[in-house]
């Protein structure tokens, strides 16, 4: 799993009234993609992403369970299945 340090992890302010989102759609999509690929429950996916970010040395915070649970209703994670004989490289 490769994380691009140039990725927009934090959300850009929307300019609307009310509380702003803390994480970008790309960050939520990355967490949910790992959840789907590895078949993990949501809480385990959160811990797994936290471990990956710590190992990669990036100072990004991880979306918590309730944030992922709420935002996954509006984001669609579809990963087409394609058989492969070699390793899978995931670039986030």
């Amino acid at each position: 799993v490769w994380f691009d340090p140039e990725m927009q992890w934090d959300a850009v302010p929307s300019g609307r009234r009310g509380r702003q989102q803390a994480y970008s759609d790309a960050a939520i999509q990355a967490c949910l993609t790992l959840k789907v690929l590895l078949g993990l429950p949501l809480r385990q996916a959160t811990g797994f992403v936290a471990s990956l970010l710590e190992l990669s040395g990036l100072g990004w915070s991880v979306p918590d369970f309730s944030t992922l649970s709420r935002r996954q209703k509006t984001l669609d994670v579809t990963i087409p299945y394609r058989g492969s004989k070699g390793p899978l490289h995931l670039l986030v």
Side-chain angles (χ1 to χ4, degrees):
V1 178
W2 302 84
F3 284 99
D4 182 9
E6 301 298 319
M7 177 182 173
Q8 182 67 37
W9 192 262
D10 296 324
V12 177
S14 66
R16 297 184 311 198
R17 292 177 57 178
R19 183 172 182 194
Q20 302 297 312
Q21 293 180 344
Y23 301 98
S24 68
D25 286 345
I28 302 297
Q29 183 79 26
C31 295
L32 295 176
T33 299
L34 288 171
K35 172 191 175 293
V36 170
L37 277 177
L38 301 174
L40 297 173
L42 200 52
R43 290 191 193 274
Q44 287 180 0
T46 303
F48 183 69
V49 171
S51 297
L52 288 176
L53 290 177
E54 183 179 334
L55 288 172
S56 66
L58 298 171
W60 299 339
S61 62
V62 181
D64 59 359
F65 173 80
S66 60
T67 301
L68 286 175
S69 180
R70 184 180 62 252
R71 301 258 316 260
Q72 77 178 350
K73 295 175 187 173
T74 60
L75 289 177
D76 197 19
V77 179
T78 55
I79 301 171
Y81 176 75
R82 184 176 59 178
S84 175
K85 294 189 174 28
L88 172 69
H89 296 276
L90 179 63
L91 178 63
V92 178

